[in-house]
Amino acid sequence: MKKALFTLLLTLSCLVSVAVEVNSPSGNLSLTFDVNKVGKPFYSLTFKGKDVIEPSYMGFKFSDGKDYSNWFTIVKVDTTSFTETWKPVWGEVDSIIDNHNELTALLKHVPTNTFMMIRFRVFDDCAAFRYEFDRNSNHAYIKVENEVSEFNLTGDHKTFWIPGNPDSNEYKYMTTPLSGIDASKADGDAIGTHMIVADNCIQSPVMMKSSDGLYINIFEAALSDYPAMMLTIDKKNFLFTSLLAGGAVKGVAAFLQTPCKTPWRTIIVSDKAEDILASKSILNLNEPCKIENTDFIKPFKMVGVWWEMHVPAHSSWNYADEWNLKLAGTDWNSLKPNGRHGANTENVKKYIDFAADNGIDAVLVEGWNIGWEDWAGNWKEEVFDFVTPYPDFDVKEITSYAASKGVKMIMHNETSSSVTNYERRIDSAIDFMKRWGYTGVKTGYVGWIIPRGETHDGQWMVNHYERVTKKMADAGLMLDAHEAVRPTGQHRTYPNLLACESARGNEFNAWSDGNLPEHETILPFTRLMGGPMDYTPGIFKIKMSDYQGGNTCQVHTTLAKQLALYVTMFSPIQMAADLPENYKEHMDAFQFIKDVAVNWDDTKVLEAEPGDYITIARKAKGSENWFIGAITDENSRTSDIKFDFLDAGKKYIATIYADGKDADWFSNPTSYTIYKKSVKKGDKLKIKMANGGGCAISLKPVE
Ligand code: NOJ
Ligand code: CA
């Protein structure tokens, strides 16, 4: 033993440790890597000469009881440069430049003779690293207890965070200094799966602002066959350490087989908040598209038999009010209908008509299939079969009616997190969708996972979501996943994964104390960093007391801000989420939802500050039309919009959907005004937004 230690120390002392540096193409970001005296790998990062990440250790705890965060020697380092321009199948911009410098460090863990590669990529707005083990790593199988990647911050930054929970992201954001993080204080009404890992544990992505004006976002890219990353904080030292979401096996977060690699750990940095929102580094760190024929992937707008189930005293998903029913053995035709079932043929046709009349591409219907009578909260295995409609949902009639009107149908597969059941039945679910001509599917994972003990963000479920995405791609179906793990840019690889929810959506405004007016100014800096969110904007009937007297729930925005969200919350699936009858009362405002694009050739983040405001302009795909969304938090704000981005020499008609003079998200949310103005490149426009307000603008060139 002593001899082994002596040899080890001798090996390490023979090592001349030389710090290696890799800079971003412009030199803005500079990353240094080294191994210290006891063989601990560490890195640090600066932005324009300012420290962003102070020396931070890297490594692992495997379940073999050995510590893989020290006793490493550097075997070899290499640097390369890379530039490429690629075109996403859909997105915020037409083409994306991937320009980075790469550093690879091959390390040897002396006590176990294990080889590990750390790969760094440094872009102008992001530094990233991942660990890789090839077949010669001296391991065939690896059981990871935890990954020990540190992010050692320079001060007590202002931080936007939600509590660490491997089963939900549906929380309100908290804003505190790093030293003020206390997950036990976070709002705990995540639906059914609220579980705090530890007081000092938060989800990634985390967004921060330093006192010297740096914006820093820590997250991950290309999560595959590995658990999602949470972060624990050492509040005295402002030091985050990765914590992998666990699963059913205590003490093992990830089961790996070499060759294998971890997701990328990303640190996006700028002195301008706008650059954080514009960053494409997470996409660049994902693999190119693996779907050969992407013709079936078409960004779309939808309405749905959906919000009417969320608002009070209205419709239900379930057909009957009987409970304790079994999927097999229940005669669903003999149940007494409750008279409130939303997914009935006549009602669905109403939505199809509304979609057809207003150029909305598709209709989503929830609650169409048997099993909703006791679908949630019982942690039972056999809930839905995904192929049997309720007696009052005539799938033949509905799908032929939709087809006759040129409207697409979107399937709903709520799994109630009985995931083994879904995996058993997914092929027949897909056959059903193909048979009836559905073009996409919204999946859902409400409740605790079955297999029991697995978690929404653990490795087993990460693999499940990927299996489902691939299966849907093979079947030519688009996917919108709710309650799934937060996305990390995989829509580059599988662009049929159009959107995920994976955060606290607009629905919370229907039945809980809701989302704070600042919520939508934080989401793009956090949850949306990894991919689009199906947030379901467009609610015009803001107060739930309009459905049920005395109800205090409400949407925490003005109506105009609901319109602006179609631009500020990028998604290639956008729902016009409210009921058709509520739109019919405000068809002048609904015009914006009809007009707005869902796929873009260009995007300009005009101004942004996390937690306060965001203004974004986007140019519609294949068109000269631009759309602008501006939103503010609970404070009113005047935004100075500069039309620098417009084409020179062209005149545009701007239609401006603004808050009314007396608008206020609480006392007068539906006060809005619509007016037109002629604008050209270089013009400026002052827009006043109410407390919790916003403004939407459409710009069309004058022929
Ligand atoms: C939660 C989803 O977010 C929501 O959109 C859906 O209506 C319900 N689950 C039921 O599946
Ligand atoms: Ca949800």
Side-chain angles (χ1 to χ4, degrees):
M1 181 62 206
K2 263 195 185 149
K3 197 176 164 212
L5 188 65
F6 178 75
T7 323
L8 181 77
L9 292 174
L10 192 72
T11 318
L12 289 169
S13 59
C14 291
L15 214 200
V16 188
S17 145
V18 193
V20 266
E21 198 182 272
V22 57
N23 297 325
S24 69
S26 73
N28 273 358
L29 276 175
S30 178
L31 183 139
T32 307
F33 173 74
D34 204 354
V35 164
N36 77 0
K37 284 198 187 104
V38 290
K40 272 181 170 300
F42 68 95
Y43 73 102
S44 54
L45 182 69
T46 60
F47 176 83
K48 295 187 182 167
K50 279 188 195 172
D51 286 339
V52 178
I53 302 282
E54 292 178 341
S56 299
Y57 295 122
M58 319 172 84
F60 285 92
K61 228 175 143 186
F62 292 167
S63 314
D64 60 8
K66 296 184 183 117
D67 192 341
Y68 293 80
S69 57
N70 50 26
W71 308 127
F72 281 98
T73 60
I74 299 179
V75 179
K76 192 172 168 237
V77 291
D78 251 323
T79 52
T80 52
S81 295
F82 184 85
T83 314
E84 174 192 73
T85 303
W86 59 278
K87 281 185 178 290
V89 172
W90 46 260
E92 295 177 272
V93 289
D94 175 50
S95 68
I96 293 174
I97 298 171
D98 176 352
N99 186 12
H100 65 258
N101 293 327
E102 180 170 289
L103 164 72
T104 50
L106 181 64
L107 308 177
K108 184 165 111 178
H109 186 239
V110 179
T112 60
N113 213 21
T114 299
F115 289 87
M116 174 173 88
M117 171 94 95
I118 306 182
R119 190 181 296 273
F120 295 93
R121 284 190 185 163
V122 188
F123 305 79
D124 282 332
D125 58 10
C126 173
F129 61 88
R130 79 176 347 164
Y131 305 89
E132 300 180 2
F133 298 90
D134 73 9
R135 278 200 208 286
N136 303 320
S137 65
N138 200 24
H139 280 270
Y141 304 97
I142 300 173
K143 293 192 194 118
V144 179
E145 186 178 323
N146 196 25
E147 178 189 316
V148 193
S149 296
E150 292 184 350
F151 306 89
N152 190 0
L153 297 151
T154 58
D156 200 4
H157 304 336
K158 180 180 186 185
T159 309
F160 302 87
W161 58 272
I162 54 173
N165 177 357
D167 277 297
S168 181
N169 294 286
E170 302 193 351
Y171 293 96
K172 287 180 201 159
Y173 284 91
M174 304 284 287
T175 309
T176 67
L178 283 167
S179 61
I181 288 176
D182 182 352
S184 69
K185 298 239 165 69
D187 192 297
D189 59 1
I191 24 178
T193 48
H194 175 58
M195 200 254 311
I196 297 292
V197 174
D199 291 356
N200 68 338
C201 177
I202 63 169
Q203 300 290 58
S204 69
V206 60
M207 182 67 213
M208 292 165 282
K209 185 182 183 183
S210 71
S211 54
D212 56 355
L214 286 188
Y215 297 86
I216 307 164
N217 182 286
I218 297 178
F219 192 29
E220 61 181 321
L223 171 64
S224 177
D225 197 15
Y226 201 78
M229 180 179 76
M230 301 179 284
L231 295 163
T232 54
I233 178 123
D234 163 355
K235 292 190 229 176
K236 281 206 193 97
N237 295 305
F238 315 129
L239 172 74
F240 278 125
T241 307
S242 54
L243 178 66
L244 301 179
V249 179
K250 295 293 152 255
V252 186
F255 291 83
L256 307 178
Q257 181 176 355
T258 56
C260 57
K261 47 196 179 207
T262 69
W264 293 95
R265 305 326 182 183
T266 58
I267 306 152
I268 300 180
V269 194
S270 180
D271 44 12
K272 292 194 207 76
E274 294 80 11
D275 293 348
I276 306 288
L277 298 184
S279 175
K280 296 289 170 282
S281 292
I282 287 180
L283 275 176
N284 281 330
L285 290 163
N286 275 268
E287 305 265 313
C289 180
K290 287 190 179 158
I291 301 175
E292 245 165 62
N293 183 351
T294 56
D295 291 353
F296 70 95
I297 304 169
K298 295 197 169 70
F300 64 92
K301 280 180 237 174
M302 63 183 180
V303 289
V305 180
W306 179 72
W307 186 247
E308 63 175 80
M309 274 88 89
H310 286 267
V311 298
H314 211 287
S315 313
S316 66
W317 282 271
N318 41 300
Y319 170 74
D321 283 342
E322 290 173 46
W323 300 89
N324 193 22
L325 300 178
K326 293 219 166 145
L327 195 56
T330 296
D331 176 4
W332 298 85
N333 282 298
S334 73
L335 297 182
K336 189 170 161 283
N338 64 13
R340 290 180 291 115
H341 182 225
N344 66 74
T345 306
E346 196 193 332
N347 194 34
V348 174
K349 282 185 170 176
K350 218 177 71 186
Y351 281 82
I352 294 172
D353 288 341
F354 183 77
D357 291 348
N358 292 290
I360 302 288
D361 309 281
V363 174
L364 164 80
V365 183
E366 295 199 0
W368 66 277
N369 58 323
I370 57 171
W372 287 88
E373 278 66 19
D374 56 352
W375 69 285
N378 300 316
W379 217 2
K380 62 178 209 176
E381 178 123 12
E382 290 282 296
V383 183
F384 298 111
D385 70 2
F386 312 102
V387 294
T388 312
Y390 277 124
D392 60 347
F393 182 88
D394 185 340
V395 67
K396 193 167 174 215
E397 169 75 17
I398 286 167
T399 50
S400 67
Y401 188 74
S404 76
K405 297 239 162 179
V407 171
K408 307 275 186 272
M409 294 301 294
I410 303 300
M411 172 50 70
H412 184 228
N413 283 173
E414 170 59 63
T415 68
S416 74
S417 285
S418 178
V419 183
T420 33
N421 180 46
Y422 193 46
E423 292 223 353
R424 273 196 299 274
R425 296 173 186 273
I426 191 166
D427 290 327
S428 48
I430 288 174
D431 287 348
F432 185 91
M433 293 180 230
K434 294 307 284 180
R435 175 166 171 218
W436 297 110
Y438 285 76
T439 54
V441 53
K442 168 177 169 180
T443 53
Y445 297 87
V446 170
W448 302 108
I449 301 290
I450 297 178
R452 297 183 182 90
E454 295 298 348
T455 61
H456 285 74
D457 299 348
Q459 183 187 18
W460 194 88
M461 281 303 289
V462 166
N463 287 339
H464 165 79
Y465 307 123
E466 194 170 327
R467 278 195 292 276
V468 172
T469 307
K470 284 186 191 163
K471 267 187 170 292
M472 296 304 171
D474 289 346
L477 290 162
M478 295 181 277
L479 177 61
D480 169 15
H482 277 228
E483 294 89 38
V485 70
R486 47 206 174 268
T488 55
Q490 304 92 328
H491 54 286
R492 174 177 181 188
T493 317
Y494 300 108
N496 69 315
L497 177 61
L498 272 82
C500 295
E501 183 194 43
S502 316
R504 196 178 164 99
N506 221 359
E507 65 191 33
F508 274 79
N509 283 317
W511 36 254
S512 76
D513 60 349
N515 303 338
L516 297 171
E518 67 176 10
H519 192 58
E520 298 92 352
T521 68
I522 302 173
L523 279 170
F525 286 97
T526 50
R527 159 63 186 79
L528 273 77
M529 293 300 294
M533 176 173 179
D534 181 18
Y535 187 70
T536 67
I539 302 304
F540 282 11
K541 201 187 267 285
I542 303 273
K543 299 258 185 195
M544 297 306 129
S545 52
D546 288 342
Y547 295 93
Q548 183 188 48
N551 191 305
T552 56
C553 297
Q554 78 160 94
V555 174
H556 290 58
T557 74
T558 62
L559 189 151
K561 182 169 170 182
Q562 286 293 306
L563 297 179
L565 294 177
Y566 286 89
V567 183
T568 59
M569 301 274 264
F570 166 64
S571 176
I573 298 180
Q574 288 285 18
M575 191 166 199
D578 212 336
L579 278 49
E581 54 262 43
N582 297 340
Y583 287 137
K584 284 179 187 156
E585 287 174 27
H586 301 281
M587 284 314 275
D588 55 350
F590 188 71
Q591 188 62 42
F592 183 81
I593 302 181
K594 284 169 76 167
D595 293 342
V596 70
V598 284
N599 193 15
W600 310 94
D601 273 337
D602 202 2
T603 287
K604 306 278 181 209
V605 183
L606 301 181
E607 46 172 15
E609 182 64 28
D612 293 339
Y613 55 85
I614 295 177
T615 305
I616 296 182
R618 302 190 198 267
K619 188 176 189 209
K621 171 105 322 212
S623 147
E624 293 302 315
N625 297 346
W626 284 82
F627 295 85
I628 298 176
I631 61 168
T632 180
D633 61 359
E634 68 283 4
N635 301 311
S636 71
R637 175 160 202 277
T638 299
S639 181
D640 264 311
I641 296 179
K642 293 181 197 69
F643 293 99
D644 296 346
F645 50 88
L646 294 175
D647 282 348
K650 271 197 184 130
K651 252 200 192 163
Y652 296 77
I653 289 291
T655 310
I656 298 145
Y657 303 76
D659 288 323
K661 279 205 176 68
D662 51 354
D664 175 278
W665 71 270
F666 181 72
S667 61
N668 198 8
T670 52
S671 161
Y672 63 89
T673 161
I674 302 173
Y675 59 98
K676 290 192 192 293
K677 205 174 163 16
S678 160
V679 297
K680 57 178 187 331
K681 186 181 175 73
D683 284 355
K684 290 183 186 165
L685 181 69
K686 269 198 191 320
I687 294 290
K688 172 116 190 325
M689 290 176 272
N691 302 330
C695 177
I697 303 175
S698 71
L699 292 150
K700 293 187 186 170
V702 183
E703 297 308 325

